Amino acid sequence: MSTSMPSWSEKALVLLRQMNNFHLPGSKLTQCLRFVIDGKHVGWVPPAVASALSRFPEVFSPPQGDSITLRPSLRSYKKRSEAVHEVLRQLKEENAFACLRGWRDEQKYEVMPRFCDGSLMCMERSATSLFGVKRYGVHVNGYVHDEAGRICMWLARRSPTKQTYPGRLDNLAAGGLAAGNSVRQTLLKECEEEARIPACIAKAARPVSTVSYTHEDHEGVFPESQFVFDLKLPSEFKPQIGDGEVEEFHLWPLHKVKDLLVSDDFKPNSAMVVLDFLIRHSYVEPDSEPYYQEFVTGLHRSL
């Protein structure tokens, strides 16, 4: 008995469900402890992580109810950041969690209840999934109009040596929002470093949306929100390989990009950013797309 192949719409819906799987039945959501700092809920701690943290009673108070907190003596941003950093460094040396193999001493993320709130501490980027703290980034849709006025999009293919999603297709430029950097600073930095887009061109990028989701896998919980920018590039401009995180660039018409975003060849969260672009530019419309509402909801989940 033959089975029909899933449609493009069904594949896109699967992508969104996978990237929001923390909210689906069967996830670890009900097993996680709320990570609370100064009375504010900032993350989700999976059971295995909570067990490991119990070895550090000088930093983490014993869980109470459904929450785990820092010791009351850790009252300042500096004290919290330093104390947790030492715990994470020890766990890294013990090879306790796979995610810590991606340790980057040069990049820390702010820990805060919401983006509009003040930061309560900072944390090593690779460890954030252990605490399910919110991570923010910047993604850039680079595009041009061809001679017929049709949109073509620049995509990057990630280096095969990248720790995450090696060799996959990606947005023209993207990067995490590191502690101490603004969204605009991150935009200009990533454009220059990854695609050699000079500031005089990159500064024309327009903030147009955010794409938010909460994903879980064997490395932890990932509540993430990407600040999305559209950058219309001069037709004669060609991005160049910069810091080695990109292997090559492609300029493709939107119908090809649309087909690729639901394939295994695309980095999943970057595919979501492209889907958002297609919706905003009316390339995907409610009269022709049965899952239009599901797409919009899946791209903008509350963290």
Side-chain angles (χ1 to χ4, degrees), residues 1 5 31 67 86 126 147 171 220 231 251 260 270 281 297:
M1 182 176 179
M5 295 293 290
Q31 304 171 39
S67 301
E86 287 308 309
S126 66
E147 293 179 353
N171 303 122
L231 175 58
L251 180 62
L260 285 168
S270 301
H281 288 260
T297 301

Side-chain angles (χ1 to χ4, degrees), residues 22 32-35 41-46 49 53 99 110-113 123 125-135 213-216 219-224 303:
F22 189 62
C32 288
L33 293 175
R34 297 163 68 248
F35 183 36
H41 179 200
V42 297
W44 298 98
V45 181
V49 179
L53 299 181
C99 62
E110 303 287 9
V111 176
M112 45 200 172
M123 182 180 291
R125 172 181 178 170
S126 66
T128 53
S129 63
L130 299 178
F131 293 84
V133 298
K134 297 171 184 175
R135 310 191 334 170
Y213 48 90
T214 303
H215 174 73
E216 72 167 22
E219 294 193 351
V221 182
F222 298 82
E224 297 186 338
L303 298 185

Side-chain angles (χ1 to χ4, degrees), residues 160-236:
T161 61
K162 288 281 290 181
Q163 288 183 330
T164 57
Y165 302 104
R168 299 274 193 102
L169 291 171
D170 204 342
N171 303 122
L172 176 60
L177 191 62
N181 290 345
S182 70
V183 174
R184 178 63 66 170
Q185 286 171 334
T186 302
L187 163 76
L188 298 175
K189 172 179 174 291
E190 297 299 334
C191 281
E192 170 59 34
E193 290 183 355
E194 294 189 354
R196 290 292 182 253
I197 303 172
C200 61
I201 293 178
K203 68 181 182 181
R206 298 182 301 110
V208 290
S209 182
T210 60
V211 168
S212 304
Y213 48 90
T214 303
H215 174 73
E216 72 167 22
D217 62 20
H218 67 283
E219 294 193 351
V221 182
F222 298 82
E224 297 186 338
S225 184
Q226 312 300 341
F227 292 94
V228 179
F229 287 77
D230 284 355
L231 175 58
K232 184 179 180 182
L233 291 160
S235 58
E236 68 276 7

Side-chain angles (χ1 to χ4, degrees), residues 94-113:
E94 297 171 359
N95 199 24
F97 297 102
C99 62
L100 297 180
R101 296 170 194 160
W103 188 281
R104 303 181 188 183
D105 272 319
E106 78 281 2
Q107 191 166 42
K108 292 183 171 59
Y109 281 2
E110 303 287 9
V111 176
M112 45 200 172

Side-chain angles (χ1 to χ4, degrees), residues 155-158 165-170 248 250 252 256 259-268 271:
L155 295 178
R157 185 169 294 281
R158 294 162 68 85
Y165 302 104
R168 299 274 193 102
L169 291 171
D170 204 342
E248 57 188 356
H250 301 280
W252 285 325
K256 180 171 183 175
D259 288 341
L260 285 168
L261 78 85
V262 296
S263 74
D264 291 336
D265 200 27
F266 225 112
K267 183 170 178 274

Side-chain angles (χ1 to χ4, degrees), residues 9-63:
S9 299
E10 290 167 336
K11 291 179 182 178
L13 197 59
V14 167
L15 165 71
L16 294 176
R17 286 174 175 166
Q18 289 175 340
M19 293 304 292
N20 286 292
N21 64 356
F22 189 62
H23 297 290
L24 294 180
S27 77
K28 290 188 175 67
L29 174 59
T30 57
Q31 304 171 39
C32 288
L33 293 175
R34 297 163 68 248
F35 183 36
V36 176
I37 301 177
D38 198 23
K40 300 176 178 65
H41 179 200
V42 297
W44 298 98
V45 181
V49 179
S51 177
L53 299 181
S54 67
R55 296 165 41 208
F56 305 93
E58 70 282 3
V59 177
F60 296 94
S61 298

